[in-house]
């Protein structure tokens, strides 16, 4: 059996519905372990998986994801230019509150021993903002970290600060984990190990849509993929030669849910792959 005290930090990458894979990983580890971390950092939809895991709500994230994909109200191409955008965060929040509420009491209790951070991006200057939500503020933080320019309601407020998707400013918060004292870090990815990305069509369009924004915000849309790729390369090193180490649990190939036309069967397929990868990782320890 693996040494459950070996890892002090968990990082959960975002990726919208690709996080069904991460949910599979964390649900498997919840049953195999459970593992205990000093700190957990989640970006974008990865923060939603984080909340489900820390609250001990087995299959919580994947049930929400499957239901939203199947109900036809969360992703609507006819709403692309509406206030809510292509992906309706208001519908997501309403669905969670009514059908799958987070166990906020359990989250507050676990935060007594675990530092749980949600990554946001400041709309004013594009810098990352790391928040530790409590109580009812959890839903606001999770929605804010998933507010995608062009695809959802572009930005939301967190404590009087306009913010948007944390994946833009720090999609893989490895340096943040190290700055907080992490020395043995587990990173759950939603892309294969070593995979680089190019500037997306959405980012390309956003660079024109927000052309009059602060220069550092524009840089996120124009060069954010380069910063992401640099962290991907750093992750492959496995450590820094100073006794600090990290490793990845990642899909072996691109996920099926990496599409706006994703179906419930795709979400469940990626979830099962996450369970499988976690079990394989566990068996190798």
């Amino acid at each position: 059996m693996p040494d459950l005290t070996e890892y002090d930090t968990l990082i959960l990458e975002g990726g919208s519905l690709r996080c069904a894979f991460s949910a599979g990983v964390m649900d498997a580890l919840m049953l195999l372990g459970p593992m205990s971390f000093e700190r957990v950092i989640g970006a974008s939809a990865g923060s939603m998986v984080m909340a489900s895991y820390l609250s001990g709500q087995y299959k919580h994230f994947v049930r929400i994801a499957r239901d939203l994909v199947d109900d036809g109200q969360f992703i609507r191409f006819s709403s692309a230019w509406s206030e809510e955008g292509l992906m309706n965060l208001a519908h997501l929040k309403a669905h969670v509150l009514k059908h799958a509420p987070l166990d906020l009491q359990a989250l507050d209790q676990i935060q007594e021993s675990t530092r749980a951070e949600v990554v946001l991006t400041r709309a004013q200057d594009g810098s990352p903002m790391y928040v530790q939500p409590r109580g009812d503020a959890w839903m606001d933080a999770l929605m804010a970290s998933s507010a995608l320019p062009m695809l959802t309601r572009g930005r939301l407020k967190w404590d009087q600060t306009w913010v948007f998707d944390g994946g833009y400013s720090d999609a893989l918060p490895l340096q943040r984990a190290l700055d907080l004292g992490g020395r043995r870090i587990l990173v759950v990815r939603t892309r294969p190990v070593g995979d680089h990305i190019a500037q997306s069509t959405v980012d390309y369009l956003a660079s024109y849509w927000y052309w009059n924004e602060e220069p550092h915000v524009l840089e996120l849309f124009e060069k954010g993929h380069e910063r992401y790729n640099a962290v991907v390369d750093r992750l492959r090193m496995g450590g820094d030669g100073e006794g600090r180490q990290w490793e990845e649990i990642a899909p072996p190939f691109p996920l099926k849910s990496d599409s706006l036309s994703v179906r419930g069967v795709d979400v469940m397929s990626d979830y099962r792959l996450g369970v499988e990868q976690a079990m394989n990782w566990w068996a190798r320890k």
Side-chain angles (χ1 to χ4, degrees):
M1 176 180 292
D3 179 2
L4 300 183
T5 65
E6 180 180 3
Y7 302 90
D8 55 41
T9 307
L10 171 68
I11 293 173
L12 288 160
E13 182 179 14
S16 190
L17 292 167
R18 292 201 312 272
C19 285
F21 172 85
S22 306
V25 171
M26 299 316 301
D27 278 350
L29 295 183
M30 189 186 300
L31 298 180
L32 291 168
M35 301 178 73
S36 177
F37 302 93
E38 294 177 25
R39 61 195 66 83
V40 184
I41 310 172
S44 192
S47 64
M48 298 183 186
V49 176
M50 174 180 73
S52 297
Y53 174 72
L54 291 178
S55 62
Q57 292 176 265
Y58 181 65
K59 285 191 174 181
H60 180 257
F61 179 92
V62 74
R63 285 172 179 160
I64 294 170
R66 182 192 57 201
D67 290 348
L68 287 173
V69 167
D70 286 341
D71 76 5
Q73 298 300 309
F74 177 54
I75 301 177
R76 298 181 66 183
F77 290 93
S78 60
S79 302
W81 301 107
S82 69
E83 180 182 0
E84 286 299 331
L86 183 65
M87 302 172 74
N88 192 324
L89 290 182
H91 178 66
L92 166 59
K93 183 176 181 178
H95 178 88
V96 172
L97 291 175
K98 182 177 180 179
H99 300 289
L102 279 168
D103 187 339
L104 299 179
Q105 184 176 356
L107 281 172
D108 279 349
Q109 183 176 356
I110 197 69
Q111 282 176 298
E112 298 299 325
S113 58
T114 300
R115 182 188 184 105
E117 290 192 346
V118 176
V119 185
L120 309 176
T121 299
R122 292 183 181 90
Q124 181 180 7
D125 60 10
S127 64
M129 180 179 181
Y130 308 96
V131 303
Q132 300 175 66
R134 290 277 185 162
D136 293 339
W138 265 102
M139 282 303 298
D140 293 334
L142 299 181
M143 294 302 103
S145 188
S146 301
L148 288 157
M150 307 296 293
L151 291 181
T152 70
R153 184 180 296 188
R155 60 186 71 184
L156 296 171
K157 265 196 173 180
W158 171 266
D159 194 22
Q160 304 306 310
T161 301
W162 285 105
V163 297
F164 58 90
D165 193 316
Y168 273 94
S169 58
D170 202 0
L172 290 167
L174 175 62
Q175 188 57 52
R176 174 63 175 176
L178 295 172
D179 291 343
L180 290 175
R183 300 193 62 82
R184 196 70 169 88
I185 302 167
L186 179 62
V187 186
V188 178
R189 301 286 310 283
T190 57
R191 288 191 172 95
V193 171
D195 261 23
H196 284 186
I197 62 173
Q199 183 184 29
S200 70
T201 300
V202 171
D203 288 349
Y204 180 79
L205 293 173
S207 67
Y208 281 92
W209 190 267
Y210 296 99
W211 66 270
N212 61 340
E213 295 284 343
E214 206 274 347
H216 292 297
V217 175
L218 279 180
E219 186 179 3
L220 295 181
F221 304 130
E222 295 175 345
K223 297 185 179 298
H225 62 288
E226 296 176 2
R227 294 167 58 181
Y228 176 89
N229 292 338
V231 182
V232 167
D233 292 340
R234 188 180 183 189
L235 282 173
R236 294 199 70 177
M237 296 172 63
D240 60 3
E242 300 178 10
R244 301 186 297 186
Q245 298 177 299
W246 47 81
E247 59 186 287
E248 305 169 68
I249 300 179
F253 41 76
L255 296 171
K256 293 182 178 180
S257 50
D258 191 11
S259 167
L260 291 175
S261 58
V262 61
R263 302 166 298 163
V265 293
D266 300 322
V267 169
M268 295 309 300
S269 176
D270 288 344
Y271 174 81
R272 288 189 290 270
L273 179 62
V275 171
E276 179 183 322
Q277 289 297 101
M279 294 179 68
N280 289 341
W281 174 83
W282 187 271
R284 293 194 300 267
K285 301 304 293 177

